[in-house]
């Protein structure tokens, strides 16, 4: 994801009393290329919190993981934060749309994510 000629890559960007985990904003002089402005919002659910093992987590499908309340709640929290942050970043950089990824790490074994596009329509 890192291309410092194309993106301004900013970790922990402060936005209205919150911090975006990772934002990649296309540099103004590179807008002629088809590249997406991005926000990645991360959450973590430990295996102990799930009372599970890495083997169990690896064996589950995405749908089975999303059926677990801890994971579903963290994904929803990441989505809501990403949406809020997107609204603020769009105004700050005069962006039409920003693509957000809400990502939940399940231990170190798995991730569950959802892609959202804010501002397209």
């Amino acid at each position: 994801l890192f291309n410092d000629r194309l993106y301004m890559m900013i970790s922990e960007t402060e936005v209205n009393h919150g911090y975006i985990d990772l934002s990649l904003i296309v540099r103004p002089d590179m807008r002629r290329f088809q590249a997406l402005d991005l926000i990645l919002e991360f959450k973590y659910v430990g295996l102990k919190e799930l009372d599970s093992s890495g083997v169990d987590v690896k064996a589950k499908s995405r749908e089975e993981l999303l059926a677990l309340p801890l994971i579903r709640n963290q994904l929803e929290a990441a989505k809501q934060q990403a949406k809020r942050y997107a609204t603020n970043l769009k105004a700050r950089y005069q962006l039409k749309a920003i693509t957000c990824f809400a990502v939940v790490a399940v231990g170190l074994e798995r991730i569950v994510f959802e892609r959202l596009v804010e501002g397209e329509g």
Side-chain angles (χ1 to χ4, degrees):
L1 287 174
F2 182 67
N3 180 339
D4 64 352
R5 286 181 241 153
L6 185 59
Y7 286 105
M8 295 181 289
M9 186 165 145
I10 310 160
S11 177
E12 295 295 327
T13 305
E14 194 279 323
V15 178
N16 287 357
H17 309 293
Y19 294 90
I20 301 170
D21 290 330
L22 183 61
S23 57
L24 287 89
I25 305 301
V26 178
R27 292 181 179 279
D29 60 329
M30 296 295 175
R31 293 250 163 228
R32 65 186 180 274
F33 299 110
Q34 290 185 345
L36 299 173
D37 295 296
L38 302 166
I39 288 177
L40 289 91
E41 187 60 34
F42 299 101
K43 299 292 182 192
Y44 177 82
V45 175
L47 297 177
K48 286 184 182 181
E49 293 175 82
L50 291 173
D51 194 27
S52 192
S53 71
V55 172
D56 292 338
V57 166
K58 285 180 183 179
K60 291 187 185 308
S61 69
R62 180 181 192 279
E63 291 73 27
E64 289 172 315
L65 290 172
L66 284 174
L68 300 172
L70 282 172
I71 294 172
R72 187 176 57 250
N73 292 342
Q74 288 291 61
L75 185 62
E76 189 57 37
K79 287 168 46 178
Q80 293 308 312
Q81 279 182 269
K83 287 178 183 181
R84 189 173 69 247
Y85 295 151
T87 299
N88 289 291
L89 274 190
K90 285 189 310 188
R92 183 182 291 180
Y93 293 109
Q94 293 82 46
L95 305 173
K96 291 181 183 165
I98 192 159
T99 300
C100 305
F101 288 91
V103 181
V104 177
V106 184
L108 297 176
E109 285 71 21
R110 294 283 301 274
I111 63 166
V112 177
F113 70 93
E114 192 166 323
R115 179 180 185 257
L116 313 137
V117 179
E118 289 297 309
E120 280 190 348

